[in-house]
Amino acid sequence: MCGIVGYVGNKPASGILLDALEKLEYRGYDSAGIAFAGRDGIKVYKTCGRIKQLREIIAEESKSDSSRDGEFTVGIGHTRWATHGRPSDNNAHPHCAHSGKVAVVHNGIIENYLELRAFLEAHGHTFSSDTDSEVVSELIDYYYSGDPVSAVRRAEMQLKGSYALGILFSDYPWQIMAIRKDGPLIVGLGKDENMIASDIPALLKHTRDIFRLGERELAILTKDGVTVMDSYGERIQHEFEHIDWDIDAAEKCGYPHFMIKEIMEQPDAIMKTIGPRIHDGKIDLGLKHISEEDLKGITSIKIVGCGSAYHVGMVEKYYMRHLLGIPVDAELASEFRYDSPIIDEHTLVIIISQSGETLDTLYGLREARKRGARVISIVNVVASSIANESEDVLYTWAGPEISVATTKAYSTQLVLIQLLSLHMAYIKGTIDEKQLSASVDELMAIPKMLSDMLKKVEPIQYLASQYFNSQDVFFIGRNMDYSLSLEASLKLKEISYIHSEAYAAGELKHGSISLIEDGTLVIALCTYRPLLEKMVSNIKEVKARGAKVIAVINHDDDETENVADHVIRLPECGTLSLPSLTIVPLQLFAYYIASLKGCDIDKPRNLAKSVTVE
Ligand code: G6P
């Protein structure tokens, strides 16, 4: 989703802003732009296309006017992911008001932009783009009569929807302003320079001291300092958080793509997620607000998320139901939030989100809290909106995930929710100390098993080489295998653009089997032993119609091996570690296929890492 950066300091702003924008490329974008503030007013460069093109345009301009480039030390930049109006030069940000006095970059959606646009047009303002964002620069301009704070605040009060904004005023070329609601915006404090950005990797080269701007807080940044005001205009002080990530965490470190780097990091990431929460064979989640007594009183569970986070819920619901003996459902956040969910103080809502900023998930969380449910979030990005608004938060501690297609975040969410399930089961008395300790040992063994699996990727590379020209790929499975199929299919389609679907194997004959023809690839997940025979029948059904079948198995089973064309064999393991092991070869399969097809793996078309719009 759109990325915002801003710089104010002594150094030339253009290189800093372009580099920072590149660090946000992973969010997905179709156009990019920068506005500088200088003594001759605001200068905007923007283009449809990649940051490389923007870099060339700015370099070209500074060649023709050698005095120019070094002169700008204040600017804001943007990567746009089109929502209102197709990708084009005009629709790219920054948007500069026609007066030339105000420039704005925006991430989010202004829901009442048509109404505001009509109002502004009636007052003589004109528009050059089809975007919702351009109303923001014109509206601020409309209210501006010399006082930028009052203009921004008055305009912001009229906006409905979500927004993170970076703002320049030509009359105040020594400062940038920022304000946000329901979208991420981080302020970074440096020496004689300060910055804003949508995400931490964009700031790391210049500062490691950051804070997240709160809802509707307004920040004014100059090279000497940062002033923050709440929505009542009161000055507030933020504690700075020191980011101690190794900068390598946000770099590829020799891997061709972030995705493969992040796949390979999974054993480590899982260890970081579970290791610190196990003490003497017992689980310590460090929940601050939801007590053991509260957890004992929980009579139903909803797991809410989007995309892969939802798929984690789909896997875990089977396990939790079995373990706790209470109703557990996985819900898509975009449905849950509008579905008048039947929940109360005895319901535990588990919100899952890597970014902690997905808008539907954030609104799902608010709906859950409004209805009185107990809420625990599983989040990767520390102090993100979802983390901040949850009753209790469990961090995955997976480190930054840059590739749009999630891998290590998914895997760490999975083990963390498993820890939570075991913890609840122990408290509720549905498992005893011995069972708890055996389960904890099983989880702790996952990193080593995964790391062994990741040393032998050649068989998966071979399968990818056989099938990368497929037009359609179907994934089938039953129970947890079905849930894992959903994730495997999503991985493949999002990065390789091959049409792929996941089916509960029993549903095949109710329609989609008509799509199977000679050579269609079907990947059958056969790890759920109680229904193995049924899966073998399903494989036979698709084979009879000409399908090629790759079976994923975790045990010696001649019948499945004989009936399938290929097998992916997992190490022997228990049911708790099985999902974590099953998904990894399928992530690799998607990765190698996309790589053979020459796809832009880390930044697949039309997709965004952090979806901050509905
Ligand atoms: C996007 C990403 C997915 C992710 C989903 C939810 O679609 O591409 O990888 O699973 O958003 O994101 P979240 O940050 O809430 O986990």
Side-chain angles (χ1 to χ4, degrees), residues 424-444:
M424 285 185 73
Y426 182 61
I427 289 171
K428 281 174 163 285
T430 56
I431 58 170
D432 61 22
E433 201 163 333
K434 215 165 129 214
Q435 288 164 307
L436 176 71
S437 149
S439 301
V440 164
D441 288 349
E442 191 184 335
L443 283 184
M444 289 293 276

Side-chain angles (χ1 to χ4, degrees), residues 23 32 88 188 276 305 309 312 327-328 348 450 461 474 553 605:
K23 292 284 182 285
S88 72
V312 169
V328 183
L348 175 65
L450 271 188
Q461 283 172 321
F474 294 89
I553 60 174
R605 69 183 179 214

